[in-house]
Amino acid sequence: MVAAAALGVVRPSWACGCGALITSTDSGVNVAEETSIVRFDGSAEEIVMRLSVRSSARDAAWLMPTPARATVTLGERGWFEQLDGLTEPRVVKRRHWFPRLGPDRMAGAPAPGPGGRVGVLGQQRLGPFEVTTLSAGDSHALASWLTAHGYHLKGRLAQALQPYVARRWTYTAIRLAPESGPLTGELDPLRIKFTTAAPVYPIRLSRLAATPQAVHLYVLAPHRVTVRGLGLFTTYAGRVSPAQVSSPGLRSLLGGGAFLTEVVRQGIPPADFTDDLTFGYTADTPYRQVDYVQGGLVTFLGLPAFLWLLGTPVVVLVAVAVVVVAARRSGRARRGRVPAPS
């Protein structure tokens, strides 16, 4: 999901994220882990992003395009922990009749400024972040404005932004405040909300990355969703009610309840990011991933059952042999018996 870009000045991230995460230093930014919650209620969308990064950079910034002007607040880390718990795979122990000789397997949308100018729609400070909301009628003008204001973007990103400019999207630029120190560790989740007629996950900029990317989304919507593009795998699908979570913020995000669909994929080639992710509804069929683990051997009377199975033919043969021997002895005894005189 996160794309690190800009002509080698910005190092690509390992993990994923929508938008572009960049820095002007040679250290770059490595996103060790990132997960997003996507909430769509039919008219508005919220994206809550959790990032854990490793970097010594002090001037990291993140740019995210959205179909309409976005409002940005901070989310809570605990939201992700609760969703992680709700969607944990069901673990099933498989007991085997015979010893396993091989390895175990697991189943498994404001108008831009006139004449291409960049418009500043709003600025705010959220924890360690400086947030600026922008509009632009020209991708090169947008890139120039960002570079002039310390975002250190190059021409390649301007070209990548062109599809968003053509659709008259707006942009949220988020920069780590200089006094906050290096950008490292687990960051406070960012919560971005905007109006849209259909849910979308802006991810096209990941095409600028130089290493394979990953996507991990929790999608909250009225119904189960399918994600168009990138071949994501559904690992959980089920309806979630506010009563199933303890955080008031997450309860508010759920509203009266939502269908939760979890989708993941790792190792996505950057060339595959040809467009943003879009979503469609499908049947509300519940699904939960099942992880099969080895649960030991089937036993009977304290012994592995396979020993009983292997021993059964021997027992049968012994029993047959005993019967045959007994029959033979009985026959010889009858033949050797002398009749009593009359």
Side-chain angles (χ1 to χ4, degrees):
M1 303 174 351
V2 167
L7 297 176
V9 175
V10 180
R11 300 297 178 86
S13 64
W14 173 85
C16 50
C18 52
L21 184 60
I22 58 175
T23 176
S24 63
T25 66
D26 290 336
S27 63
V29 177
N30 177 42
V31 181
E33 181 183 359
E34 179 185 343
T35 305
S36 291
I37 303 170
V38 180
R39 175 71 163 104
F40 180 69
D41 62 8
S43 61
E45 180 177 344
E46 294 185 64
I47 297 175
V48 187
M49 299 184 64
R50 176 187 66 180
L51 298 93
S52 178
V53 303
R54 293 190 296 267
S55 173
S56 59
R58 293 176 175 268
D59 61 348
W62 175 55
L63 180 69
M64 179 179 178
T66 55
R69 179 176 177 176
T71 58
V72 183
T73 56
L74 292 177
E76 298 178 18
R77 302 178 187 181
W79 298 354
F80 296 89
E81 296 172 0
Q82 293 182 54
L83 292 180
D84 289 345
L86 286 174
T87 60
E88 281 186 345
R90 184 167 59 93
V91 177
V92 174
K93 290 186 177 181
R94 275 183 166 169
R95 300 178 68 83
H96 307 283
W97 286 87
F98 296 94
R100 295 172 64 90
L101 301 180
D104 290 338
R105 294 180 179 272
M106 297 179 66
R117 289 183 301 159
V118 175
V120 178
L121 304 178
Q123 292 180 307
Q124 62 178 319
R125 174 73 178 263
L126 291 173
F129 304 108
E130 296 176 351
V131 181
T132 304
T133 308
L134 306 167
S135 64
D138 179 85
S139 60
H140 293 283
L142 175 61
S144 297
W145 188 96
L146 290 167
T147 300
H149 288 79
Y151 287 89
H152 306 287
L153 309 180
K154 299 297 182 179
R156 190 176 174 215
L157 183 60
Q159 181 180 1
L161 289 171
Q162 181 56 43
Y164 296 118
V165 173
R167 287 184 285 175
R168 302 176 67 163
W169 281 30
T170 61
Y171 311 89
T172 301
I174 301 171
R175 181 170 56 191
L176 188 72
E179 64 271 22
S180 298
L183 179 69
T184 191
E186 186 173 332
L187 306 181
D188 291 331
L190 289 168
R191 184 177 182 180
I192 302 99
K193 183 176 182 178
F194 51 90
T195 58
T196 180
V200 61
Y201 194 74
I203 201 170
R204 182 196 298 265
L205 296 180
S206 290
R207 190 175 179 84
L208 298 175
T211 57
Q213 302 290 284
V215 174
H216 183 186
L217 302 179
Y218 291 116
V219 185
L220 299 166
H223 301 282
R224 178 173 171 172
V225 301
T226 57
V227 183
R228 304 185 183 101
L230 297 180
L232 304 183
F233 303 98
T234 298
T235 53
Y236 180 89
R239 194 161 292 281
V240 179
S241 70
Q244 292 178 264
V245 300
S246 59
S247 167
L250 185 55
R251 288 179 182 173
S252 175
L253 190 65
L254 286 171
F259 201 98
L260 170 60
T261 309
E262 181 186 26
V263 293
V264 299
R265 185 186 167 192
Q266 294 186 356
I268 307 173
D272 288 1
F273 293 90
T274 58
D275 204 348
D276 298 321
L277 294 179
T278 57
F279 306 84
Y281 291 141
T282 187
D284 290 344
T285 305
Y287 172 77
R288 188 165 194 163
Q289 182 177 335
V290 177
D291 286 352
Y292 294 99
V293 299
Q294 185 174 348
L297 296 172
V298 177
T299 61
F300 181 69
L301 298 178
L303 291 176
F306 80 92
L307 294 177
W308 291 98
L309 292 175
L310 294 176
T312 298
V314 176
V315 172
V316 171
L317 290 174
V318 170
V320 170
V322 169
V323 170
V324 170
V325 170
R328 288 178 177 176
R329 288 179 177 176
S330 176
R332 286 196 298 268
R334 286 195 299 269
R335 287 194 299 270
R337 184 179 303 127
V338 178
S342 53

